[in-house]
Structures are given as structure tokens and as C-alpha cells.
Amino acid sequence: MLKDSQMIQSCIAHCRNSANDIKSLAEATADLRAKDELNKAMQSINACVRHCEEALTKTM
């Protein structure tokens, strides 16, 4: 079983990959409303990553 810190690190890596995918989609779309919503989603994921990084420092 993975330790808590390993699980958090795995989650952070997954979220970063998702954020990168969303960024690519936002850059590729011509629809400004879609681009705006994708950028909002990316900001939300980045905020989650920051919170997870803070949690990670507390588990170590």
C-alpha cells in the first residue's frame, strides 16, 4: 500500500498532466468562450495542486 505522501505525489502528477492537457486544448481552440472556461478549469486544477503540495509538506 502506498504511503500518504506517495499517494499525494501521484495525485499531484496526475493533476499536472490534466492541467497540461487542458492548456493544450485552450491554446488550440478558436472559441473564446471555450478558451475562457478551459483556462478557468486550469486555474482550479493549479489551485488544487498547490493545496496538495501544502498537504504533502505536512505529511513528511
Side-chain angles (χ1 to χ4, degrees), residues 32-43:
L32 294 179
R33 289 182 293 176
K35 185 182 296 271
D36 184 52
E37 291 302 319
L38 289 166
N39 283 323
K40 287 178 189 175
M42 191 174 57
Q43 289 173 354

Side-chain angles (χ1 to χ4, degrees), residues 1-21:
M1 186 168 185
L2 291 176
K3 291 178 13 180
D4 288 344
S5 60
Q6 290 173 314
M7 290 176 65
I8 294 170
Q9 287 172 334
S10 176
C11 184
I12 289 170
H14 180 73
C15 288
R16 284 184 177 149
N17 287 335
S18 295
N20 287 334
D21 290 344

Side-chain angles (χ1 to χ4, degrees), residues 18-60:
S18 295
N20 287 334
D21 290 344
I22 292 170
K23 181 180 179 181
S24 295
L25 287 168
E27 290 172 350
T29 188
D31 186 310
L32 294 179
R33 289 182 293 176
K35 185 182 296 271
D36 184 52
E37 291 302 319
L38 289 166
N39 283 323
K40 287 178 189 175
M42 191 174 57
Q43 289 173 354
S44 294
I45 290 176
N46 287 333
C48 288
V49 167
R50 286 191 299 276
H51 290 292
C52 288
E53 288 170 338
E54 289 174 24
L56 183 61
T57 63
K58 291 179 168 80
T59 62
M60 297 180 128

